Amino acid sequence: MIRLGMIGLGKWGQVLARSAQQSSRFRISHGYSRSASTRAAFSSTFNIVCPDDVQVMLQDPGIEGIILSLPNELHLPYALMCAEAGKHIYIEKPITNELADARIIKEVSEQQGIGVFVGHCAKLLSGVQFIKQAIDAGNLGDICMIEGRFSNERALNLTPADWRWYQEKAPGGPLSQIAIHQFDVLRYLGGKIKSVNAISARKSPACPEVEDQWVIGLHFESGALGSVNSSWTAPGVFEVRVMGTKGLMHYAIDQTLWGSAHRLHEGATLYWQKTGQSSKQAISLALNETDMFAMELDLFVDLIQGNPQPNFDAQYGMEILGMVESARMSNKQGGLSVNLIDLMAAVTKT
């Protein structure tokens, strides 16, 4: 059985730890937080060893991979510590806050011969997988447009005590925190993206540093168009709509269940409306119970065992982060289109 460690034992670390308990292939044996009380609570809840020195975990030869569930600005320093210790790395999205830092992780990990897995889990949602199969089978014809929406109410309650308040720590607010999940989904369903344009607004009464509303336009290399809308001041919504010459599919989940992935099939809907039909004739497709968090951790173990994961690796994580940076650049330029291909090429050459 593969042994893993975890750094960052807060809310999201606990979500991943619960999902990990389902596996017979791996187990999380050690955890680390800078907070003694957090270590104690986590150890008690999950029966996991939580030393007060992170090096105890990093120097354990029996631990093959480390899960990083930390605030974004800590991804780089801890990823470098893991790489230097020869541990494969799982990093919660985004890979980092800046492309320059992501490039460092990619280069160091390659030098050390270890794998990097970025937790872009949304494409593992059962409805997204169903749509992908339909696209690949040609059931939707030539894909013309893909729309994604992801909103929640986080900015209504933000305070300066939360790292997400700050532009430096959570660039663009929902852009780098939840809209990025839709970037992953649209990239997965529609292929590579050529350019990005975006506009933002601030509507939260809490008045954080970050923007809290985004409308992003995408131009795929295939010629298809895409859009992502994301709000941090609205009820929870996660929806994907794919339109092609033979029909469309519309997938929606109960976003309030996001942290309980095994329940996301409850109340979820997936409709298939064929060309020539009215919306009343759309077919409702059944969705099975799945757990995207358990699935991604299982894929991380596959990576540790030598099976590449190109839809989750450092290069992929950089591409998705490039969409975030392109949207921010476009917003600063009044919504002008930013060429993502040129941006990524410039980062590679630097």
Side-chain angles (χ1 to χ4, degrees):
M1 177 176 284
I2 298 292
R3 286 174 55 205
L4 304 176
M6 176 179 284
I7 301 176
L9 310 180
K11 178 181 178 181
W12 209 253
Q14 294 173 41
V15 168
L16 295 177
R18 283 194 294 271
S19 290
Q21 291 176 328
Q22 304 176 38
S23 179
S24 60
R25 297 181 63 204
F26 69 91
R27 67 184 179 92
I28 299 173
S29 64
H30 288 66
Y32 174 76
S33 168
R34 292 177 294 183
S35 165
S37 60
T38 299
R39 292 195 303 269
F42 193 86
S43 179
S44 175
T45 300
F46 295 100
N47 192 27
I48 290 172
V49 177
C50 294
D52 59 8
D53 184 349
V54 70
Q55 291 301 326
V56 172
M57 181 168 58
L58 294 179
Q59 292 173 9
D60 185 333
I63 294 176
E64 298 186 53
I66 303 292
I67 299 167
L68 300 182
S69 53
L70 297 156
N72 299 348
E73 76 271 16
L74 297 178
H75 288 184
L76 176 62
Y78 278 98
L80 295 181
M81 290 170 61
C82 293
E84 290 166 2
K87 309 298 185 186
H88 299 282
I89 311 164
Y90 169 104
I91 307 176
E92 262 304 318
K93 62 79 200 159
I95 182 171
T96 55
N97 275 340
E98 298 182 4
L99 276 172
D101 289 346
R103 180 186 173 187
I104 293 172
I105 291 177
K106 181 176 183 293
E107 291 177 346
V108 171
S109 64
E110 289 173 348
Q111 292 166 5
Q112 296 293 329
I114 58 100
V116 173
F117 186 104
V118 185
H120 285 297
C121 60
K123 60 177 164 284
L124 297 176
L125 285 163
S126 58
V128 174
Q129 289 290 308
F130 206 119
I131 293 171
K132 175 64 171 172
Q133 293 167 13
I135 291 172
D136 291 346
N139 293 338
L140 299 183
D142 184 21
I143 301 304
C144 305
M145 187 173 294
I146 309 178
E147 301 172 350
R149 295 180 177 84
F150 197 167
S151 299
N152 62 35
E153 303 160 6
R154 185 178 294 278
L156 294 177
N157 301 307
L158 279 178
T159 72
D162 190 323
W163 59 270
R164 298 169 186 85
W165 175 280
Y166 302 98
Q167 194 71 257
E168 182 180 3
K169 297 176 181 292
L175 181 69
S176 64
Q177 300 305 296
I178 58 175
I180 193 172
H181 279 301
Q182 289 289 9
F183 290 164
D184 170 42
V185 169
L186 268 64
R187 166 66 177 84
Y188 179 66
L189 295 176
K192 284 186 172 292
I193 288 153
K194 182 169 63 175
S195 61
V196 178
N197 61 278
I199 55 173
S200 73
R202 288 178 169 86
K203 299 293 288 184
S204 169
C207 300
E209 285 187 4
V210 296
E211 303 89 346
D212 48 66
Q213 316 293 321
W214 284 89
V215 176
I216 305 107
L218 307 172
H219 190 182
F220 292 88
E221 289 189 4
S222 67
L225 299 178
S227 65
V228 172
N229 294 352
S230 188
S231 170
W232 249 2
T233 60
V237 171
F238 183 98
E239 296 180 302
V240 179
R241 188 192 303 267
V242 180
M243 289 165 276
T245 54
K246 291 184 178 180
L248 68 82
M249 283 188 171
H250 181 204
Y251 173 53
I253 63 172
D254 179 351
Q255 189 274 329
T256 64
L257 297 175
W258 187 265
S260 303
H262 64 287
R263 296 184 56 199
L264 283 172
H265 66 292
E266 299 176 12
T269 57
L270 177 60
Y271 295 106
W272 179 12
Q273 180 181 348
K274 298 180 182 180
T275 297
Q277 293 180 335
S278 71
S279 59
K280 294 181 180 180
Q281 295 173 297
I283 302 169
S284 178
L285 302 171
L287 294 166
N288 297 325
E289 178 180 344
T290 59
D291 186 328
M292 60 183 171
F293 305 134
M295 292 168 68
E296 64 176 351
L297 290 175
D298 212 46
L299 291 171
F300 177 45
V301 171
D302 285 345
L303 175 67
I304 291 173
Q305 294 179 329
N307 301 304
Q309 300 297 323
N311 286 328
F312 296 90
D313 64 13
Q315 182 59 45
Y316 184 86
M318 289 178 64
E319 185 178 341
I320 302 302
L321 180 59
M323 295 167 67
V324 173
E325 289 207 2
S326 295
R328 295 185 72 206
M329 292 170 62
S330 172
N331 182 56
K332 291 177 181 178
Q333 298 171 14
L336 293 177
S337 181
V338 173
N339 190 299
L340 178 60
I341 298 173
D342 291 346
L343 175 65
M344 298 304 297
V347 172
T348 302
K349 293 176 182 177
T350 301

